[in-house]
Amino acid sequence: MSGRANFGAALWAAAQPHPDRTFLIDDQRVWTYGEFFATVRRFAGALQAAGANPGDRVTVHVEKSPEAVALYVACLWAGTVHVPLNPRFTNVELEYYVNDADPRVVVTAEPTGPPPDQTRLMAERSRHWLTLQADGTGSFTELAKTARILDAPVERDDNDLAAILYTSGTTGKPKGAALSHRSLGQNAEALHQTWQFDEHDQLVHVLPIFHVHGLFVALHTAMLSAIPVRFHRSFDPERTITDFATSTVFMGVPTHYKRLSDSPALTPAACAPMRLFTSGSAPLSKTEFVRFSDRSGHQICERYGMSETGITLSNPYRGDRQPGTVGFPLAGVEAMIVDEAHREVERTTVGVVAIRSDQTMLEYWGRPDETAASFFGDRWFLTGDVGWMDAQGRVTLQGRASDMIISGGENVYPKEIEMVLDQIEGVVESAVIAIADQDLGEQVVAVLVCDGKPLTLTDLQPVLQENLARFKHPRQVFCVPELPRNAMGKVQKNQLRDRYQSVR
Ligand code: MCA
């Protein structure tokens, strides 16, 4: 184990020989690697000035911007723990995450400081609350102007925490996957090698930067080759296709690929220099795989991962990419399919996918029981995804053990929404399900039992808006006299899915 294991140092080692190389190409300005790391050093100094010591959490709730990327690398540099959150989260959601991660510093886009309920939250724990706007201004950047610059990355050990990424669960309470510097470094190296990145690449980046996909997978692989990143703050298919003419790699979720294929601008000629399109975060249908291939001349490379494990399986870079499969374990990853007793099943038999790797999280932050329940044997992690492995070791996923919904690549947990719906006056009980959606893959639908007149989506809006980010809101609501249950009293969501699948 090395005291130099700070992953920020590995990113810097790749950039250091190329200070004048272009890194982030944003609407507002172009950043070289030299400029970017100068900002990282200043931001790391600001974190220290705000009282964040190594190991302290820094919760970040800001819009996508180059400064937000610098803040992430600054967290690594200062040895603090980066806790990125979706900027669409409401104040109620934010308060939950602040309470759970117990950060020393919170950086938000809030222009005038914390709203009243958070003033108390901050004062109680003597936290620093700083702001960072999408244009790079805010009290955090002001502090960075006067703080002492942190020239060298703080020494860290392999198992020291680098980031906590929140994911949810069947209990409805999001939990933090605690990832070490080694987790990040090993996954970045494995992907860099598998997908054969080199200094001639250019990446088109349209993903949000609060998930493993956009923050780690895309940015780490690019930074390890010190290549330019065309940094889009939101997704516009036409602009993305324009950038394909001067780029080589794109990473997206199936909704991105569907929208790209819908655009008449997508042609093989428009993608001429592109060498790699990867997809993940949600299942890519065979139809979309074939459609994109027909339109662009490229086969999408589907891969599989989780916040808890990083990316663990990928279709091959060279060789057969099969639609509907997620490929083979990356270097340093073992995969096996297990039965309910955690015994490995025969090849081609369906079971739960289990993963063992140093990439895997150390724990669910502050949740020893849930951590223990997710591992078995010698650090095997149960993904909860159901699938099978062929004789060559290629994995095909068939579904999920939980009733989690994936809408546009965002995970949505029915329980979390049901808990909010059940508080609404007139709702006796609720069941949240997914139905198929052409654009988003799955769509959130609420089925309610009401004790008065049937409630509509409009009736639910005020409570939904206050408590849940918009992407979690049900798109349709149905009221029923009672929910279907089995003999044990468990709600039969399959029956509801079958019933409402065709009601659109
Ligand atoms: C936006 N909206 C959504 C979603 N996104 N509704 C449901 N599901 C969504 N995912 C709603 C907004 O609330 C808004 O609603 C309207 O759509 C337009 O919002 P806008 O921001 O313009 O949306 P968009 O640009 O069309 O976004 C769709 C998107 C985005 C590009 C697919 O959701 C996205 O970037 N998804 C990627 C998520 C991702 O990176 N996942 C990785 C996690 P209204 O108009 O009604 O207000 S998983 C991961 O990291 C693992 C490890 C892995 O393996 O990768």
Side-chain angles (χ1 to χ4, degrees):
M1 198 143 68
S2 146
R4 293 174 208 279
N6 189 324
F7 181 57
L11 296 175
W12 168 234
Q16 191 176 16
H18 314 288
D20 297 327
R21 245 196 229 167
T22 298
F23 177 26
L24 298 170
I25 305 168
D26 181 41
D27 288 341
Q28 292 169 20
R29 76 173 261 217
V30 173
W31 297 55
T32 63
Y33 275 90
E35 288 164 338
F36 177 79
F37 274 96
T39 306
V40 165
R41 289 183 170 83
R42 282 204 312 276
F43 280 10
L47 289 170
Q48 286 191 332
N53 293 313
D56 283 344
R57 275 76 58 212
V58 176
T59 296
V60 177
H61 182 244
V62 301
E63 296 291 341
K64 182 176 181 179
S65 71
E67 287 81 2
V69 178
L71 175 53
Y72 157 56
V73 182
C75 280
L76 297 176
W77 198 264
T80 59
V81 180
H82 185 66
V83 188
L85 299 179
N86 188 333
R88 302 285 163 262
F89 284 156
T90 62
N91 279 337
V92 171
E93 289 167 304
L94 177 61
E95 181 156 352
Y96 170 83
Y97 291 107
V98 168
N99 275 325
D100 194 79
D102 192 15
R104 172 66 49 209
V105 174
V106 180
V107 185
T108 72
E110 199 63 55
T112 52
D117 51 340
Q118 267 120 35
T119 311
R120 174 185 44 77
L121 198 66
M122 291 295 113
E124 269 172 13
R125 310 281 302 184
S126 65
R127 293 192 175 104
H128 258 96
W129 189 288
L130 296 161
T131 61
L132 180 63
Q133 308 297 329
D135 65 1
T137 62
S139 58
F140 180 75
T141 351
E142 286 307 308
L143 179 60
K145 286 180 187 160
T146 55
R148 196 179 59 83
I149 289 170
L150 183 61
D151 275 322
V154 166
E155 292 218 339
R156 296 277 80 194
D157 282 331
D158 283 338
N159 281 331
D160 282 334
L161 270 194
I164 297 177
L165 268 80
Y166 275 88
T167 161
S168 207
T170 44
T171 55
K173 291 280 175 221
K175 48 196 186 213
L179 299 163
S180 66
H181 283 263
R182 176 167 55 186
S183 319
L184 303 192
Q186 182 170 318
N187 198 205
E189 292 288 350
L191 291 169
H192 188 259
Q193 180 196 332
T194 303
W195 293 338
Q196 302 192 9
F197 273 80
D198 71 23
E199 73 275 17
H200 304 297
D201 279 316
Q202 298 214 19
L203 176 87
V204 186
H205 191 294
V206 302
L207 290 157
I209 54 168
F210 47 84
H211 286 308
V212 165
H213 198 166
L215 185 63
F216 298 160
V217 182
L219 288 174
H220 290 169
T221 47
M223 292 180 82
L224 286 180
S225 284
I227 59 166
V229 172
R230 297 180 185 281
F231 192 74
H232 297 204
R233 293 178 185 228
S234 59
F235 176 55
D236 173 355
E238 269 66 41
R239 183 176 162 217
T240 304
I241 294 167
T242 303
D243 275 356
F244 288 165
T246 48
S247 304
T248 62
V249 181
F250 176 78
M251 300 182 187
V253 304
T255 302
H256 291 126
Y257 285 106
K258 188 212 170 261
R259 294 184 188 176
L260 289 168
S261 296
D262 285 345
S263 167
L266 187 74
T267 61
C271 305
M274 293 294 290
R275 68 169 184 88
L276 178 65
F277 290 91
T278 70
S279 177
S281 316
L284 178 71
S285 72
K286 192 169 178 179
T287 312
E288 287 305 334
F289 176 93
V290 170
R291 205 159 75 95
F292 188 81
S293 161
D294 290 348
R295 301 293 322 283
S296 68
H298 288 270
Q299 290 198 330
I300 298 169
C301 179
E302 187 171 3
R303 59 37 169 207
Y304 165 77
M306 288 179 83
S307 300
E308 290 90 332
T309 61
I311 307 311
T312 47
L313 306 166
S314 173
N315 268 277
Y317 180 66
R318 296 203 185 285
D320 197 16
R321 291 179 194 162
Q322 289 182 13
T325 80
V326 288
F328 302 93
L330 300 182
V333 174
E334 294 168 87
M336 81 174 162
I337 310 293
V338 297
D339 64 15
E340 280 176 3
H342 304 153
R343 285 177 310 230
E344 187 168 12
V345 299
E346 298 278 310
R347 293 287 162 114
T348 74
T349 302
V350 173
V352 174
V353 180
I355 296 289
R356 180 162 65 179
S357 164
D358 284 342
Q359 288 175 198
T360 304
M361 67 171 190
L362 300 174
E363 59 171 355
Y364 285 120
W365 177 251
R367 288 184 164 74
D369 294 347
E370 289 177 58
T371 304
S374 305
F375 287 93
F376 68 91
D378 182 15
R379 290 280 299 163
W380 281 97
F381 178 78
L382 281 167
T383 64
D385 285 308
V386 174
W388 55 278
M389 196 183 267
D390 72 10
Q392 285 70 45
R394 186 190 283 270
V395 175
T396 301
L397 297 180
Q398 284 202 335
R400 290 181 291 270
S402 76
D403 60 358
M404 184 182 84
I405 298 168
I406 309 184
S407 167
E410 294 289 354
N411 293 354
V412 180
Y413 295 86
K415 185 78 190 163
E416 186 185 359
I417 303 167
E418 289 160 5
M419 279 160 53
V420 171
L421 291 172
D422 291 348
Q423 298 165 21
I424 296 175
E425 211 186 306
V427 175
V428 178
E429 59 173 346
S430 61
V432 168
I433 54 165
I435 63 168
D437 184 288
Q438 271 207 334
D439 181 46
L440 297 168
E442 291 183 335
Q443 179 191 117
V444 179
V445 167
V447 184
L448 304 180
V449 176
C450 303
D451 64 4
K453 77 171 177 50
L455 295 171
T456 64
L457 207 45
T458 318
D459 298 326
L460 309 179
Q461 271 322 311
V463 176
L464 291 174
Q465 234 142 28
E466 190 187 339
N467 290 282
L468 295 170
R470 179 79 185 92
F471 71 90
K472 300 177 190 170
H473 292 196
R475 298 279 177 117
Q476 301 188 68
V477 174
F478 299 99
C479 292
V480 293
E482 59 182 338
L483 297 173
R485 292 182 187 279
N486 66 11
M488 310 290 288
K490 190 171 164 5
V491 175
Q492 298 298 282
K493 289 197 171 177
N494 280 343
Q495 286 189 24
L496 292 174
R497 277 190 284 268
D498 292 346
R499 192 184 308 165
Y500 294 110
Q501 200 58 249
S502 51
V503 186
R504 303 286 224 82

